[in-house]
Amino acid sequence: MAKSGNPFLTCCWLTLLILVISLLVSLVCLYFGQDQLIYQNDYPSPYEEYPEENQEGKRNPGEKSMKYEDITIETEDDVRLSGWFIHNAALTPTLPTIIYMHGSSGNIGHSLSWAENIYFNLKANIVLVGYRGYGHSEGSPNENGLEKDSKSIIKWTLENKDINSEQVYVMGNVLGGAVATFGVQFFQDQVKGIILQNTFKNFGNAVDDTNWLFRLLRPLILANYWPTDERIKNIVTPILFISGSDSDTHDDMQDLRRLAVHSQITEFLTIPRAGKENTWRVGGRSYLTAIENFFLETKFLINIPIETDEGVESI
């Protein structure tokens, strides 16, 4: 009679096989499901997918006594984006306008407290639009799509006859900083300045900062890149960096400033004891003063884009 195999070794081999298969399945899920993990358009609750489902004060700018219009912007690939143009009525053409590129989580209603602070203290107009797949904007979020959104939002704002097109600033928070930097590349002779807040250098670097396992697996799972550290090298537009000292992007922000070698002006504000999401609240008056001074410093500057090997085309 033939001898049967060693049950212990058989069990070990089966266990190893199951682990390998599980790892491969996990890697595939992480790669192809990455957009759902990054672009959390229903955060913090699936019951707050749309602004009108938010808590009171986060449903529309009118709840915070801000004048506004509902706007729809069509992108180059025919996706309709939904948002708000928050303005100062008759004073609108005389004031600076901030295009706010939001972070990766939640709908645009979650940015209204920040907008209220800017609107009433700096008297700026604000363009606040959800990326594709966020709130009432059509489509599904992904890196290539958000890049198109960025260009379309900036283009719409610059063509808006109700504002002063010579006083347009683009601001981005965390992911929004990467979205803003991409879009401004195409409008450097028109956008007056960029305000980057707690932005990462590139998405690979952000993944490395999570834990050792993701750092090890990054070459296999990374499907989003957002190479702001490469793009910022060709930006001549003035840049204001605002960073919370306790944010995990604080070192990235300092590196980005060093890389912005062609920017006409680079200013850096560190907010002590501020994290990634509460920088503007903790910063208080110093936060507002930095932005106000940036408006004054850049008001009469003329931006002339540099020639690059990448051949970024205007639109």
Side-chain angles (χ1 to χ4, degrees):
M1 177 181 275
K3 290 184 178 181
S4 61
N6 188 318
F8 177 74
L9 288 177
T10 302
C11 182
C12 289
W13 280 112
L14 283 173
T15 301
L16 180 61
L17 179 62
I18 291 171
L19 288 173
V20 170
I21 293 174
S22 298
L23 177 61
L24 290 174
V25 170
S26 298
L27 291 176
V28 170
C29 290
L30 279 171
Y31 186 85
F32 289 102
Q34 199 165 121
D35 288 343
Q36 286 71 36
L37 291 172
I38 297 170
Y39 309 110
Q40 300 178 30
N41 49 3
D42 59 354
Y43 181 87
S45 165
Y47 302 106
E48 293 185 2
E49 183 176 356
Y50 303 103
E52 62 268 24
E53 297 173 342
N54 295 346
Q55 298 175 352
E56 186 175 357
K58 297 181 179 180
R59 296 169 187 157
N60 63 68
E63 290 189 335
K64 292 185 175 294
S65 301
M66 294 184 283
K67 299 179 178 66
Y68 77 103
E69 300 170 13
D70 292 314
I71 60 174
T72 300
I73 297 174
E74 191 165 314
T75 67
E76 62 190 72
D77 57 341
D78 300 321
V79 174
R80 292 163 62 86
L81 307 178
S82 178
W84 298 310
F85 173 40
I86 304 171
H87 57 80
N88 285 269
L91 294 176
T92 296
T94 68
L95 300 171
T97 297
I98 297 177
I99 303 169
Y100 186 72
M101 303 296 185
H102 60 82
S104 61
S105 302
N107 61 62
I108 56 175
H110 295 287
S111 300
L112 283 176
S113 293
W114 169 86
E116 177 185 31
N117 186 42
I118 296 296
Y119 182 85
F120 288 108
N121 288 299
L122 297 183
K123 309 300 180 186
N125 309 307
I126 301 162
V127 175
L128 181 55
V129 179
Y131 309 136
R132 61 187 63 204
Y134 283 78
H136 290 289
S137 296
E138 298 175 348
S140 299
N142 56 71
E143 183 172 7
N144 183 253
L146 265 62
E147 289 175 346
K148 291 182 172 67
D149 297 347
S150 178
K151 290 163 63 178
S152 299
I153 294 168
I154 296 173
K155 183 173 184 290
W156 179 92
T157 305
L158 291 169
E159 293 175 352
N160 188 337
K161 303 302 182 184
D162 295 328
I163 68 166
N164 181 353
S165 62
E166 296 182 356
Q167 291 295 310
V168 173
Y169 295 80
V170 184
M171 181 171 185
N173 182 48
V174 195
L175 171 67
V179 177
T181 304
F182 174 84
V184 169
Q185 295 177 106
F186 303 90
F187 304 95
Q188 294 198 63
D189 57 340
Q190 296 171 273
V191 169
K192 189 59 69 172
I194 312 172
I195 304 172
L196 298 182
Q197 183 170 293
N198 298 324
T199 300
F200 47 78
K201 287 194 298 186
N202 58 69
F203 201 72
N205 197 71
V207 170
D208 287 348
D209 288 340
T210 54
N211 60 59
W212 67 269
L213 181 59
F214 281 170
R215 188 181 307 120
L216 182 66
L217 296 176
R218 175 170 58 82
L220 300 175
I221 64 173
L222 193 65
N224 284 261
Y225 300 95
W226 292 112
T228 301
D229 52 347
E230 292 300 321
R231 290 167 176 162
I232 206 167
K233 295 175 183 178
N234 297 319
I235 297 291
V236 300
T237 309
I239 307 173
L240 169 61
F241 298 87
I242 303 178
S243 179
S245 65
D246 294 343
S247 170
D248 57 10
T249 60
H250 187 57
D251 290 342
D252 280 21
M253 288 285 284
Q254 293 174 323
D255 287 342
L256 287 174
R257 184 188 188 180
R258 285 191 286 269
L259 291 168
V261 292
H262 292 295
S263 175
Q264 292 192 69
I265 296 172
T266 58
E267 300 290 353
F268 199 102
L269 173 68
T270 297
I271 305 295
R273 297 178 299 281
K276 189 183 293 183
E277 301 299 333
N278 66 351
T279 299
W280 70 270
R281 290 184 187 275
V282 177
R285 188 67 241 175
S286 64
Y287 180 90
L288 294 167
T289 300
I291 296 175
E292 187 173 39
N293 288 342
F294 188 61
F295 287 164
L296 295 172
E297 190 176 10
T298 57
K299 188 172 184 178
F300 299 108
L301 282 180
I302 298 175
N303 302 325
I304 303 176
I306 63 171
E307 295 292 331
T308 69
D309 295 334
E310 295 180 3
V312 174
E313 299 178 357
S314 61
I315 63 171

